[in-house]
Amino acid sequence: MHVTRDFSHYVRAAGEGVQHIDLAVEGVHCAGCMAKIERGLSAIPDVTLARVNLTDRRVALEWKAGTLDPGRFIDRLEELGYKAYPFETESAEAAEVAESRLLLRCLGVAAFATMNVMMLSIPVWSGNVSDMLPEQRDFFHWLSALIALPAAAYAGQPFFRSAWRALSAKTTNMDVPISIGVILALGMSVVETIHHAEHAYFDAAIMLLTFLLVGRFLDQNMRRRTRAVAGNLAALKAETAAKFVGPDEISQVPVAAINPGDIVLLRPGERCAVDGTVIEGRSEIDQSLITGETLYVTAEQGTPVYAGSMNISGTLRVRVSAASEATLLAEITRLLDNALQARSRYMRLADRASRLYAPVVHATALLTILGWVMAGASWHDAIVTGVAVLIITCPCALGLAIPTVQTIASGAMFKSGVLLNSGDAIERLAEADHVIFDKTGTLTLPDLEVINAADIPADIFELAGRLALSSHHPVAAAVAQAAGAKSPVVGAVEEAGQGVCATVDGVELRLGRPSFCGAEALVGSVDPEASIVAFSKGSEKFVLSVRQGLRPDAKAVIAALKARKIGIEILSGDREAAVKSAANALDIPEWRAGVTPADKIARIEELKQRGAKVLMVGDGMNDAPSLAAAHVSMSPISAAHLSQATADLVFLGRPLAPVVAAIDASRKALHLMRQNLWLAIGYNVLAVPVAISGVVTPLIAAAAMSGSSILVMLNSLRARSASREIV
C-alpha cells in the first residue's frame, strides 16, 4: 500500500522562488552529527540551505520552490541514521522532556548499580592480595554480574540505540566505541568469571556508563534552556480582525483575508492584528512592543499602530498598511529566528575535539589487538588490552569538561540573581567587550514614581490617589501607589485619552492631562524630563511629576564595567532629554535617543564589523530583535514575565549588579572550560600510550578514566565563586 505524505502545511515561503521547512531531528549530539547532516542534505540538488541548530536539534532547509518534496529530506536523514519530523514547538518540547526523563532514569539505574558493584569489588581487590578463596571471589563476581548486566542493558539505551542507528546507516559516531567498550568489558567479565579469573570488569563497565550519562544528562538539560524565542511572540498575534465590509457593517475575518487599504475596527481590550493608521476615534494604546515605553500613547487620527499593540480605552478605525506576514511583528519574529541560528564557537569545543574520537579510537584499539597478537600474545590478552584502550580513551572527561562548568557557573549566577535562558550564553558572555544598554526599564526601574510628592499637600495627594484608583493608566497607578490610596472615589468616570473625573461634596475632581484639568500654566514648573499628570479640585490646580528613576546601583555598575575595560553606550527609543539626563548621571558619553529596533540592530552590526563582541542589555519585546542580533543578551525581568524571556540571560529585582556578576562568572567559567579541555586532552595523550603498552588492565583503565573525570569536576567547582565585588 502506498502512503502519501503531505508536509505542505509546514512549508513557508522564504523569499522569491525559495521555500523553507524546519525539521526536528533526533540523536544530534555533537559537531560531527551536525557536519554529517549538513553535508548529506546539501548534496541534494536544488537545496540552497541546510543548517543545523545543535541547541534545539532542529535543521532549517531551503530549496528552490516547486523542485523538491519535503518528504525527501526526512528520507535522506533516515539514510544518515537520524529520525526526523516537521518541527512544532509543542511536539519538540514533549520529545525533549521524554528524553530528559529517560536519561535521568538511566542515570539513576547506573549510579545505583555502580555503588553496589563497587561495594562488591572492594573485597575482591583486597582479597586478591590476601587470603580470599577462589569460590568466594567467584561468588562476588557473579553477584556483580547479576547487578551490572541488566543495569547496563537498561542504562546503556541512549548509547546503544544511537550506535545501532549509526551502524545501520553504515556510519559511526561517538556512541559506537562507547558501546563496543561497554559490551566488550561486560562480555570479557562474564568469560573471566566463568574461567574463575582473578579480575572481572563489571565495575569498570557500569562506572563508565554512569559518568557518560552524567555528561549526557547535563548537556541535554543545558540545551533545553534554549528555544526558539519567536514562539514567545505568538501570544501577541491576533488571528482575526473586525473588517468593515460596508459603511457600518463589520465581519470578523482571518488576518490572512485582510489586505492593505482595508479598514478594521479596533475595540477596547483588543490586540491589533495589523499595521496601519488611525483614521477615526481616540484612545490610548500600549506600544511597548515598538518603543519600549511602559506609558500608554494617545491614538487619534493619523497615529500609526502596529500588530501586537494593545488598545486600552476607546474605539478606533484603522486603515491597514500591512497584514499577516508583512507586519512589523512578523518581521521581528523573522529577525529572532535568524539571529537565534548563530552558533557559539566555545560551546562546541568539546564536540569538535570529539569528532575524530570514534575513528581514531577504533583504529587504535584494533591496531593494539593486532599488534599484540603479532608480538606473540594470546587473543585473550590482546582483547583485554584493546578493551583497556577503548575504556581509558573514553571521552568522559571531554564530555564533562563543558557541561559541569556550565552547571556550576549557572548556580553561581543564580545566587547573584541571574538566570540562564540559553545553553551557550556563558561562553558568549565571557567574550563580551562592549555593552549596549536600553534606558527604559533597564537603567531605570520598571515602576513609575511620583518625584514631587513632597510638594503636594497631604490631603490633596490622598484625594488624587483615590481618584487615580478609578483609572487603569500606569501613571494613575503610580499616583495611587505613591499616595497609599485604598478606596476609590465613588462615581468616578474615565474619559478615553483624557483622564478621570468625579464630583465629591459638590466639588469637581479631575486627574489626567493638564489640558483636561485646566492646569496648562503649571506645566513649566516641573521636571521637563518627566511625565506630567495634573489634578484639580475645583479651582485648585496641581501637577504631579512622574518618571522612572535610575536603578539604585546603576552608577556603581557602570563604573565597574569601565574598570573591566568594557565599552558602554545607551541606545533608547525614549526622548532625547530623558536619555541625556540618564547618560549624564551615569557618566556615559556615548548615547543615542529616539532609536528604533532597526537602528539598534544596525548599530550592533556596525560594532560587529569592528570586531566588538556586543552584550545587549534591554527589556521588552521591542528589544527582542536587537537582543537576538547581539553576540549575547541580557534582560531585567519580573517573575510574572519570566516565561516570556527572550534574552540569553535574565535577572530579577531592582539592582543592576547582576550584569557585572554574570560577566565575572562567565569569564571565570570560560577559563575553566579551557582548562578542562586541556586536562581531558592531556589525560588522553598520556593514558593512551600506557594502555597500548599493556601495562593497565580494563579495571585500572576505568579507574584512570574515572580519575580524569573527577579531576575535571573538581576543577569545575572553582566556578562557584567568580564575581568580584562592585565598589
Side-chain angles (χ1 to χ4, degrees):
M1 182 177 63
H2 178 70
V3 180
T4 302
R5 298 176 298 178
D6 182 10
F7 297 114
S8 59
H9 173 72
Y10 304 100
V11 176
R12 62 177 174 83
E16 188 174 351
V18 178
Q19 292 179 301
H20 179 103
I21 192 172
D22 289 318
L23 299 177
V25 185
E26 296 180 1
V28 182
H29 298 297
C30 66
C33 298
M34 294 172 59
K36 182 165 64 175
I37 290 172
E38 291 178 351
R39 285 196 304 267
L41 293 174
S42 297
I44 299 176
D46 296 321
V47 170
T48 59
L49 172 72
R51 184 172 55 195
V52 177
N53 186 325
L54 183 64
T55 303
D56 58 11
R57 297 186 176 91
R58 179 172 54 165
V59 57
L61 285 156
E62 292 181 4
W63 67 97
K64 295 179 183 178
T67 60
L68 293 170
D69 177 6
R72 183 173 177 183
F73 304 134
I74 295 178
D75 293 338
R76 178 58 181 148
L77 285 166
E78 187 173 349
E79 293 172 4
L80 295 172
Y82 300 93
K83 182 179 179 181
Y85 45 87
F87 178 85
E88 290 182 300
T89 303
E90 291 184 3
S91 60
E93 178 62 23
E96 289 284 352
V97 170
E99 182 180 357
S100 180
R101 288 175 177 171
L102 173 63
L103 286 172
L104 189 59
R105 289 196 301 269
C106 291
L107 176 58
V109 169
F112 179 78
T114 296
M115 289 186 291
N116 284 276
V117 172
M118 291 302 294
M119 184 175 64
L120 294 170
S121 298
I122 292 174
V124 175
W125 299 341
S126 59
N128 283 336
V129 295
S130 59
D131 56 353
M132 175 174 279
L133 297 176
E135 293 80 4
Q136 293 173 318
R137 183 178 59 240
D138 289 348
F139 176 72
F140 281 115
H141 282 168
W142 283 116
L143 280 181
S144 296
L146 188 63
I147 297 171
L149 291 175
Y154 182 86
Q157 290 181 79
F159 308 104
F160 299 155
R161 290 176 179 175
S162 175
W164 177 253
R165 284 197 299 266
L167 293 173
S168 299
K170 299 180 181 179
T171 184
T172 61
N173 58 19
M174 283 181 58
D175 293 331
V176 172
I178 289 172
S179 300
I180 292 174
V182 171
I183 292 172
L184 278 178
L186 291 171
M188 289 294 299
S189 298
V190 172
V191 172
E192 296 287 82
T193 301
I194 291 173
H195 290 88
H196 312 290
E198 289 188 359
H199 298 290
Y201 315 112
F202 298 111
D203 45 9
I206 199 67
M207 186 185 298
L208 175 67
L209 279 177
T210 300
F211 279 105
L212 286 170
L213 285 166
V214 167
R216 184 67 57 89
F217 179 76
L218 291 175
D219 180 67
Q220 195 266 354
N221 275 271
M222 289 302 297
R223 295 186 195 280
R224 282 188 61 202
R225 292 177 177 268
T226 301
R227 288 293 174 267
V229 178
N232 291 333
L233 295 177
L236 299 177
K237 294 182 179 179
E239 300 297 332
T240 61
K243 174 183 173 181
F244 279 92
V245 294
D248 296 306
E249 182 182 355
I250 61 173
S251 176
Q252 201 76 19
V253 299
V255 174
I258 297 176
N259 300 305
D262 290 342
I263 298 175
V264 299
L265 184 68
L266 187 58
R267 290 164 289 208
E270 289 184 341
R271 196 172 289 278
C272 190
V274 299
D275 291 355
T277 304
V278 176
I279 60 173
E280 184 180 318
R282 185 183 178 91
S283 181
E284 290 183 310
I285 57 175
D286 177 1
Q287 285 203 130
S288 57
L289 171 67
I290 308 302
T291 65
E293 298 303 309
T294 56
L295 299 179
Y296 296 156
V297 176
T298 299
E300 51 194 3
Q301 187 174 0
T303 302
V305 294
Y306 302 94
S309 299
M310 175 68 75
N311 185 23
I312 303 302
S313 48
T315 300
L316 301 173
R317 290 194 183 198
V318 178
R319 187 180 302 279
V320 178
S321 60
S324 191
E325 293 303 310
T327 64
L328 179 61
L329 181 61
E331 179 61 25
I332 289 175
T333 302
R334 284 191 289 271
L335 286 171
L336 285 171
D337 192 49
N338 292 336
L340 287 171
Q341 295 294 331
R343 295 174 181 171
S344 166
R345 178 165 54 94
Y346 290 98
M347 177 61 185
R348 298 191 304 274
L349 278 176
D351 287 332
R352 290 179 177 178
S354 301
R355 287 181 63 177
L356 297 176
Y357 169 78
V360 169
V361 170
H362 287 150
T364 303
L366 180 60
L367 290 174
T368 299
I369 294 173
L370 295 177
W372 276 100
V373 170
M374 293 174 63
S378 65
W379 278 101
H380 172 274
D381 292 341
I383 292 174
V384 169
T385 304
V387 171
V389 171
L390 285 173
I391 293 177
I392 207 167
T393 56
C394 171
C396 286
L398 201 58
L400 292 171
I402 303 300
T404 50
V405 176
Q406 283 181 321
T407 302
I408 295 168
S410 63
M413 288 184 180
F414 177 76
K415 292 180 181 178
S416 299
V418 180
L419 301 173
L420 292 178
N421 196 41
S422 176
D424 60 351
I426 292 176
E427 294 108 304
R428 289 186 281 124
L429 182 60
E431 298 175 324
D433 54 17
H434 194 96
V435 180
I436 294 178
F437 284 103
D438 180 39
K439 181 190 76 71
T440 306
T442 303
L443 291 173
T444 62
L445 292 166
D447 300 323
L448 295 166
E449 59 181 1
V450 181
I451 59 177
N452 67 334
D455 300 333
I456 310 297
D459 59 329
I460 295 295
F461 194 36
E462 180 190 3
L463 196 56
R466 291 182 57 204
L467 186 59
L469 284 175
S470 300
S471 172
H472 57 259
H473 196 286
V475 170
V479 172
Q481 182 176 2
K486 302 297 183 183
S487 58
V489 173
V490 178
V493 177
E494 185 168 19
E495 297 187 18
Q498 296 297 316
V500 61
C501 61
T503 301
V504 177
D505 297 330
V507 179
E508 186 181 43
L509 307 179
R510 286 181 173 238
L511 178 76
R513 293 176 173 272
S515 57
F516 179 67
C517 301
E520 298 98 320
L522 299 178
V523 171
S525 63
V526 296
D527 187 348
E529 299 171 4
S531 299
I532 298 170
V533 59
F535 176 72
S536 65
K537 179 184 179 183
S539 60
E540 296 182 82
K541 315 292 182 182
F542 305 90
V543 288
L544 304 174
S545 183
V546 181
R547 71 177 183 184
Q548 293 174 311
L550 290 172
R551 291 182 181 265
D553 61 343
K555 191 168 185 177
V557 167
I558 298 302
L561 291 173
K562 289 180 178 179
R564 288 157 174 79
K565 309 299 181 183
I566 295 175
I568 305 168
E569 63 182 276
I570 300 175
L571 296 181
S572 175
D574 205 351
R575 295 164 296 144
E576 182 174 346
V579 179
K580 182 179 180 180
S581 175
N584 290 339
L586 298 174
D587 192 23
I588 301 176
E590 195 166 356
W591 57 271
R592 286 175 59 190
V595 297
T596 65
D599 294 332
K600 292 181 180 181
I601 292 177
R603 175 57 178 165
I604 290 171
E605 293 300 325
E606 179 185 344
L607 290 168
K608 283 183 178 179
Q609 293 299 319
R610 298 179 187 176
K613 304 291 187 181
V614 179
L615 164 61
M616 177 70 197
V617 185
D619 75 325
M621 285 292 188
N622 68 298
D623 285 324
S626 51
L627 289 172
H631 186 66
V632 65
S633 57
M634 197 168 184
S635 286
I637 199 165
S638 66
H641 299 97
L642 186 58
S643 63
Q644 300 176 2
T646 61
D648 299 310
L649 304 98
V650 297
F651 60 95
L652 306 173
R654 294 168 60 89
L656 196 62
V659 174
V660 180
I663 290 174
D664 286 345
S666 64
R667 289 181 172 181
K668 181 65 175 292
L670 181 58
H671 177 67
L672 293 175
M673 288 177 190
R674 289 170 172 166
Q675 281 189 348
N676 281 351
L677 287 173
W678 282 113
L679 285 171
I681 293 171
Y683 157 77
N684 280 283
V685 168
L686 295 174
V688 172
V690 174
I692 293 174
S693 68
V695 174
V696 300
T697 65
L699 181 61
I700 297 175
M705 176 274 296
S706 302
S708 67
S709 300
I710 292 171
L711 182 61
V712 164
M713 288 191 289
L714 289 175
N715 191 52
S716 301
L717 291 175
R718 295 168 57 202
R720 286 183 297 184
S721 58
S723 181
R724 290 179 282 168
E725 184 179 357
I726 300 175
V727 294

